[in-house]
Amino acid sequence: MTGAVRSPWWRHAVIYQIYPRSFADSDADGVGDIRGICTRLDYLQALGVDALWLSPIFRSPMCDAGYDICDYLDVDPLFGSLDDLDSLIDQAHRRGLKIILDFVPNHTSDQHPWFMSSRASRDSDKRDWYIWRDQPNNWRAAIGGGSAWSWDEQSQQYYLHFFLPQQPDLNWQNPQVVAAMHEVLRFWLDRGVDGFRVDVVHCIGKDPHFADDSRCLAGEAMVHINDQPYSHEILRGLRRLVDSYSPGRVLIGEVNIRSTRQVAAYYGASDELHMSFNFPPLDANWDPVIFRLCIREVESELGPLQAWPTWVLSNHDNSRHRTRYGGSELRARAAAVLLLSLRGTPFIYQGEELGLEDVLVDAQTRVDPGGRDGSRAPIPWTLRPPHGWAGGSTWLPFAPQAGASSVQAQSGQAGSVLELYRRLIACRRASLALTTGAWQELPSHPQVLAYRRWCDDDERVVCINFSDTEQVFALSGQWQVQLASDRQGEGCPFTGRLAGEQAVILYRGRHDNELASDHDHLPD
């Protein structure tokens, strides 16, 4: 019990990702905004999540949905004002919800005053804030797939951009850049922000020799292969800054490398990232072999380092997992049990709790230059159109079956996906085993993933049937079904039978109601 009580809040939290332009709209312009988020805080509190991560809300030309920032210290008028964000932070904190902002350190917009000064002249005092070369190497950009270098006619050199040409990369070898970006973090920490999701943090360190990379010849973008020692030095500086504030501020890294061993290095000696996203599950199909390997790799690579894992199945850059798993609601339900019962911090992407699928976007409707619009459709709040978006039209169309999937249609409905998420989060919150407990894989049928979670005398077993047919397997001891993804068998002894695509959480020992009083006293 002692280890669990001392754990920081983010180890036992459920974090909810908000894509602001698609979450809730307050001014009827068809684009979600910060005031819209404020109107839905009661919903998020009732869902049971602990923290909200907001995708970028800073001033931006919006060439890459806000990841091209022209002012790190202000809110884009599309989303509201700085006062609106201060109000959101205050209202969230009064409800016990923490706020995490998206920090984009690798690049700015080409409209940022820093870059406009940098390109104005080779003699500019901001010239070395970005990366300029007379000759490009073979590095490739992540969006568009072309060269990561663009020619600047005005100053007669090439500049580096791992993403769009409108997103020039900053030169973190320049101490002035480091100091300026530290001031950005201080600005938001001083306003009460609880942490940052750090965008492509591994990319900020570049090969000092700017050598050609043979992997680029095979079409690899640098964002997926860049991995330099200097990034770790930069991260240690960011961590020292964040840790200098009140306890509980957190750095969550997007290290977009598919090697868990390489990602583990970005935790450092507990002096770099507090957590880093775990990407292999975002690529995975609904397959027990793949997920077994993913989980084993996380446990074997992060466990010895005492590095805390994360789990995420969908986000703003990837197809929703229900779509990826073939559109089956049963699979989406089972996946929810998986997400919220593994050892580590789960991240729920907005709309997962509604079982949403990707929206179909044609050439006329497409907005994102990277083709990622599918998972970014607006949240349907009400049963009937315009589904809680007062203006009657939205910046993207709604996902299929928006009315039936809406919050209004699912709230209070015992069998709905939304109520499953609420029950799952409550089940997790009430159990030290499911929040901070240990993990052990159990022998089971090849189509069933089974594992044990425990902390002191609190113990749970989770079983997930990946097949669409009933599976039978032996499980040592006597267990009760506490929660089932399809509600079948809850409160009954577990017989070893799992219906097709069913997932269950089993318990024995002290009941959850007795455990809740312990867990409620975990520190903030």
Side-chain angles (χ1 to χ4, degrees), residues 374-503:
S375 64
R376 300 178 179 181
I379 296 296
W381 293 99
T382 60
L383 182 62
R384 299 187 182 281
H387 304 304
W389 292 70
S393 63
T394 52
W395 75 284
L396 276 180
F398 288 97
Q401 300 180 329
S405 300
S406 68
V407 173
Q408 182 183 34
Q410 297 195 50
S411 290
Q413 300 300 311
S416 70
V417 178
L418 175 57
E419 294 303 327
L420 171 64
Y421 269 86
R422 287 175 174 164
R423 291 166 54 236
L424 271 169
I425 294 171
C427 176
R428 175 187 173 85
R429 184 184 299 278
S431 169
L432 292 174
L434 291 175
T435 51
T436 55
W439 179 92
Q440 177 189 28
E441 186 176 353
L442 298 175
S444 63
H445 187 278
Q447 289 296 316
V448 174
L449 174 62
Y451 46 90
R452 173 179 172 244
R453 301 290 314 279
W454 75 97
C455 179
D456 295 337
D457 58 351
D458 180 25
E459 185 177 17
R460 298 290 186 277
V461 164
V462 181
C463 306
I464 301 156
N465 182 2
F466 280 75
S467 74
D468 58 6
T469 58
E470 181 183 82
Q471 302 296 343
V472 181
F473 67 100
L475 188 63
S476 176
Q478 295 183 348
W479 298 88
Q480 297 284 118
V481 180
Q482 179 183 357
L483 183 146
S485 57
D486 56 2
R487 303 216 72 177
Q488 300 301 309
E490 291 184 354
C492 300
F494 181 64
T495 63
R497 295 180 180 273
L498 282 176
E501 296 178 338
Q502 183 189 40

Side-chain angles (χ1 to χ4, degrees), residues 28-29 141 149 194 207 304 318 335:
D29 67 351
W149 299 89
D194 299 289
D207 175 6
N318 294 78

Side-chain angles (χ1 to χ4, degrees), residues 151-165:
W151 175 253
D152 179 57
E153 187 67 29
Q154 183 173 350
S155 61
Q156 294 288 294
Q157 277 190 314
Y158 291 90
Y159 65 88
L160 180 66
H161 53 88
F162 276 2
F163 293 89
L164 292 171

Side-chain angles (χ1 to χ4, degrees), residues 45 87-97:
Q45 185 179 23
S87 178
L88 172 61
I89 294 168
D90 177 62
Q91 291 185 54
H93 284 172
R94 284 194 273 115
R95 289 171 170 81
L97 297 169

Side-chain angles (χ1 to χ4, degrees), residues 56-86:
I57 42 75
F58 311 109
R59 282 190 178 266
S60 167
M62 299 294 168
C63 294
D64 185 19
Y67 283 92
D68 50 320
I69 295 170
C70 63
D71 188 347
Y72 286 95
L73 307 183
D74 200 4
V75 171
D76 194 275
L78 185 70
F79 302 121
S81 68
L82 195 54
D83 286 342
D84 291 334
L85 187 55
D86 287 341

